[in-house]
Amino acid sequence: GEALARCFAAGGHRLVLVARNADKLKALAHALQAQHGVAVEVLPADLTQASAAAALAARLKRRRRSVDVLVNNAGVLEQGTFAAIPAARHQALIDLNVSGLTAMLAAFLPPMIARGSGRVMNVASIAAFQPVPGLATYAATKAYVLSLSESLAEELRGSGVTVTALCPGITATAMLDRATEDNARLARLPGVLVADVEAVAAEGCRACL
């Protein structure tokens, strides 16, 4: 998410940053403003909450902010055999990776369609293309993201609104760092298999725009 924000800021886009950690968002906002001279707003929100996306859309509407590009990047990962993972953790993945993403689309797509212009990037994963034992629920949520993105891309053809699914492989992010803490074998992956986060973000931005 941070790398994607940097890409769009470098392109001159005004940004609205959304995540749960307000302090991290504010630090990133200050850095982007200083480096790229763009306006950056911070709206902390927990997108696992059912009403969060609608509330976020309402706040932006009150501020007269139209969202031209929606980047759905919020997501979590849990590794381990399905039966060994608590039910609450499975639900947390679904709440954010599936329900939160869908709610954001429901909140922000209709105004784009009404205006006849807009871009959406849904961050899926290479795991979207096949089941992954040990990442069963995560891979299933990303398969949902990819399937939904492909359907929306067809539904919106000719509308002026496009939908792009970004499907990275293993990428050097904080998520990978956390996964490595739980699975030491990930630390032994050859470097050639781990993508650079800045390169992934840049490719995603180009495709989306």
Side-chain angles (χ1 to χ4, degrees):
E2 181 178 336
L4 287 167
R6 283 198 293 268
C7 279
F8 283 104
H13 293 262
R14 294 181 298 174
L15 302 180
V16 177
L17 303 179
V18 180
R20 288 180 296 182
N21 192 314
D23 290 338
K24 287 184 178 180
L25 288 182
K26 290 175 182 176
L28 177 58
H30 291 318
L32 294 175
Q33 288 169 333
Q35 184 174 1
H36 300 290
V38 295
V40 184
E41 294 182 60
V42 168
L43 294 179
D46 181 357
L47 296 178
T48 64
Q49 301 302 308
S51 61
L56 181 63
R59 290 172 69 184
L60 290 171
K61 185 176 182 180
R62 288 194 298 270
R63 297 183 184 192
R64 301 183 184 278
R65 300 287 190 267
S66 296
V67 175
D68 301 305
V69 181
L70 172 65
V71 178
N72 263 325
N73 180 68
V76 287
L77 177 149
E78 188 77 27
Q79 61 179 322
T81 61
F82 184 92
I85 297 172
R89 289 301 301 157
H90 289 297
Q91 191 61 52
L93 265 69
I94 294 167
D95 288 344
L96 185 57
N97 297 6
V98 173
S99 300
L101 176 137
T102 305
M104 290 290 283
L105 291 168
F108 291 102
L109 258 184
M112 291 182 182
I113 295 170
R115 293 194 304 269
S117 66
R119 299 284 182 269
V120 174
M121 181 198 299
N122 291 328
V123 179
S125 166
I126 197 172
F129 295 96
Q130 66 178 39
V132 184
L135 293 173
T137 300
Y138 173 79
T141 66
K142 292 304 184 178
Y144 172 92
V145 173
L146 178 59
S147 178
L148 179 62
S149 299
E150 291 178 336
S151 294
L152 292 178
E154 290 302 319
E155 288 183 10
L156 295 170
R157 188 179 295 276
S159 70
V161 181
T162 65
V163 178
T164 302
L166 177 60
C167 299
I170 299 171
T171 306
T173 65
M175 181 180 284
L176 179 60
D177 293 338
R178 289 191 294 271
T180 302
E181 291 175 2
D182 296 329
N183 184 351
R185 289 179 297 177
L186 290 174
R188 299 197 295 269
L189 284 172
V192 69
L193 295 181
V194 181
D196 175 73
V197 66
E198 304 295 341
V200 170
E203 187 171 351
C205 288
R206 285 195 299 271
C208 176
L209 296 175

